[in-house]
């Protein structure tokens, strides 16, 4: 075995261990309510969702915009089955305590969230995966909007609580000690991303890339196009459902109105900034996106005075204007994203060119 192949998993394990230690120290030092801890928790959740979308859009070449819909399915599945039975009457106060009389462990509910999202993907995959490009995007976007409307339907209120909040389900802080709650999303997201990496580097992953590069050539080589597209769609939706459940745990309360199409656009933007076809690029871009939008640029929303002179433009909403400009600059100067289609462990220093001069 080559030294490089042995060193890669060792270095990766050390990096993951270092990230866990830094995350734990951040919460231990700053407390669970600090902006740094907030960015770490939400960034880990968005990293999983972005990588799941990259599996479909970047590695398989399917332009899907239904990520928010699958996240909503996963989030509601988790919340509905983990609300304590004793508190359901208070949560479902307009629907006589609801009709779900089952309370699951949070780990089982996380897996179930992904399974239910995958089942929805399998059902809608039969008709929509025969579409291509923009038509597939429109169909999946329509599904996300339809499922959001159905969840808020009053007739399903005893299950989904209609347009009212779902709350009192287990969150990061209630599952683990407060000084270690930041580790939970990192552990779940890390395991899921590792599984996606294993899939990408398998024969199925190579088939996905072949479909992305040239469907006709892939089919000529014996790749079953619909079967592999369906597989990528279902697997991506499974991890999107798990990501939606983690997002519900991060927020502490849940409402369908939060899962609008703009959420899908945010995830797609992260994938584009990180690089289509790069897992590490999606992870890096997720933390940068959350840090810029939630923390680093927040001072721009504050009205600032120098003596009696008010600095123009600074005020509520200006942060998002500057954030949009920053994103435009990144997209203009990094056409293929921060990482392109490469991973962190594939980066090399440019080798020195050999001296090709001819001796006299």
């Amino acid at each position: 075995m080559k030294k490089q192949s042995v060193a890669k998993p060792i270095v990766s394990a050390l990096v993951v261990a270092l990230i866990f230690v830094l995350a734990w120290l951040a919460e231990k030092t700053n407390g669970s309510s600090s902006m740094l801890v907030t960015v770490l928790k939400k960034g880990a959740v968005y990293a999983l969702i972005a990588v799941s979308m990259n599996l479909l859009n970047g590695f398989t070449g399917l332009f899907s915009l239904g990520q928010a819909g699958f996240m909503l399915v996963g989030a509601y599945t988790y919340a509905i089955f983990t609300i304590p039975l004793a508190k359901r009457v208070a949560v479902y106060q307009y629907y006589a305590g609801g009709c779900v009389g089952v309370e699951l462990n949070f780990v089982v509910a996380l897996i179930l969230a992904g399974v239910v999202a995958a089942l929805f993907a399998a059902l809608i995959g039969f008709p929509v995966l025969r579409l291509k490009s923009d038509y597939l995007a429109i169909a999946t976007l329509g599904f996300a909007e339809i499922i959001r409307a159905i969840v808020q339907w009053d007739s399903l209120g005893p299950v989904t609580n209609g347009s009212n909040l779902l709350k009192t389900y287990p969150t990061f802080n209630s599952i683990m000690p407060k000084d270690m709650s930041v580790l939970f999303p990192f552990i779940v997201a890390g395991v899921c991303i590792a599984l996606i990496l294993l899939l990408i580097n398998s024969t199925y992953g190579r088939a996905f890339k072949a479909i992305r590069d040239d469907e006709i050539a892939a089919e000529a080589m014996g790749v079953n196009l619909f079967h592999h597209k369906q597989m990528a769609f279902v697997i991506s939706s499974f991890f999107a459902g798990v990501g939606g459940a983690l997002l519900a745990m991060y927020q502490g309360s849940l409402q369908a109105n939060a899962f609008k199409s703009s959420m899908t656009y945010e995830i797609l933007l992260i994938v584009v900034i990180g690089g289509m076809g790069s897992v590490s690029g999606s992870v890096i871009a997720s933390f940068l996106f959350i840090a810029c939008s939630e923390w680093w640029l927040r001072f721009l929303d504050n009205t600032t005075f120098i003596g009696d002179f008010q600095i123009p433009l600074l005020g509520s909403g200006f942060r998002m204007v500057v954030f949009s400009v920053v994103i435009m600059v990144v997209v203009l100067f990094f056409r293929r994203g921060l990482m392109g289609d490469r991973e962190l462990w594939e980066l090399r220093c440019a080798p020195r060119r050999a001296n090709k001069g001819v001796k006299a």
Side-chain angles (χ1 to χ4, degrees):
M1 184 179 291
K2 297 180 180 179
K3 292 182 179 180
Q4 182 180 343
S5 61
V6 175
K8 185 186 296 185
I10 296 176
V11 172
S12 301
L14 290 175
V15 170
V16 171
L18 179 61
I19 292 174
F20 284 162
V21 171
L22 291 177
W24 177 76
L25 288 176
E27 186 161 22
K28 191 77 172 178
T29 305
N30 301 304
S32 60
S33 61
S34 72
M35 286 306 303
L36 175 59
V37 172
T38 299
V39 168
L40 289 174
K41 289 181 178 179
K42 192 172 182 180
V45 174
Y46 267 58
L48 171 58
I49 300 169
V51 171
S52 70
M53 190 174 196
N54 207 348
L55 173 66
L56 195 62
N57 291 32
F59 288 96
T60 315
L62 298 177
F63 188 29
S64 171
L65 293 177
Q67 212 72 357
F70 298 117
M71 291 168 61
L72 184 148
V73 170
Y76 265 77
T77 300
Y78 173 80
I80 289 169
F81 286 100
T82 55
I83 296 175
L85 294 177
K87 298 181 179 179
R88 289 181 186 264
V89 175
V91 174
Y92 289 89
Q93 55 183 329
Y94 301 107
Y95 299 99
C99 66
V100 179
V102 179
E103 180 184 348
L104 299 178
N105 178 269
F106 69 92
V107 176
V108 177
L110 272 176
I111 298 173
L112 183 63
V115 170
V116 174
L119 288 176
F120 271 86
L123 288 175
I124 71 167
F126 283 105
V128 303
L129 288 179
R130 303 185 187 279
L131 304 173
K132 294 183 179 181
S133 187
D134 299 341
Y135 301 102
L136 175 60
I138 294 170
T140 51
L141 182 62
F143 157 76
E145 292 300 313
I146 290 170
I147 197 68
R148 184 165 63 89
I150 290 176
V151 165
Q152 298 179 90
W153 188 22
D154 283 341
S155 297
L156 289 178
V159 178
T160 64
N161 206 23
S163 57
N164 304 302
L165 286 173
L166 287 178
K167 51 188 178 180
T168 71
Y169 52 79
T171 62
F172 297 150
N173 290 333
S174 63
I175 290 173
M176 301 186 72
K178 287 187 176 181
D179 59 346
M180 296 184 66
S181 62
V182 72
L183 295 181
F184 185 80
F186 273 88
I187 293 172
V188 177
V191 171
C192 292
I193 292 173
L195 292 175
I196 293 175
L197 274 172
L198 290 175
L199 175 67
I200 290 171
N201 292 319
S202 68
T203 54
Y204 292 107
R206 288 191 285 273
F208 295 159
K209 295 174 185 177
I211 294 173
R212 175 196 64 189
D213 295 336
D214 192 328
E215 288 191 6
I216 297 176
E219 190 172 23
M221 294 298 292
V223 176
N224 187 326
L225 296 183
F226 181 78
H227 173 74
H228 284 84
K229 286 181 180 180
Q230 180 85 339
M231 181 186 298
F233 193 57
V234 169
I235 294 173
S236 172
S237 302
F238 172 87
F239 290 111
V242 175
L246 290 177
L247 186 62
M249 299 174 74
Y250 164 78
Q251 293 175 341
S253 60
L254 186 61
Q255 195 169 26
N257 273 336
F259 294 85
K260 296 181 179 179
S261 57
S262 58
M263 180 175 288
T264 298
Y265 302 147
E266 285 184 355
I267 304 302
L268 179 61
L269 182 62
I270 290 173
V271 173
V272 172
I273 291 175
M276 301 286 283
S278 173
V279 172
S280 52
S282 295
V283 173
I284 294 170
S286 298
F287 286 99
L288 290 177
F289 180 89
I290 298 300
C292 287
S293 60
E294 300 286 344
W295 185 16
W296 293 340
L297 299 179
R298 190 167 288 275
F299 72 95
L300 297 173
D301 283 347
N302 300 326
T303 303
T304 305
F305 289 87
I306 300 178
D308 295 331
F309 175 74
Q310 179 182 348
I311 298 178
L313 299 179
L314 292 184
S316 179
F318 186 62
R319 166 174 59 98
M320 298 310 298
V321 175
V322 176
F323 183 53
S324 301
V325 173
V326 171
I327 291 173
M328 289 175 61
V329 171
V330 171
V331 172
L332 285 173
F333 288 95
F334 295 90
R335 296 294 180 88
R336 301 182 62 214
L338 297 176
M339 297 295 296
D341 58 355
R342 298 172 299 173
E343 304 294 349
L344 276 177
W345 50 85
E346 296 175 351
L347 298 180
R348 300 284 194 280
C349 295
R352 294 182 179 179
R353 294 184 179 179
N355 184 9
K356 296 183 179 180
V358 180
K359 294 183 179 180

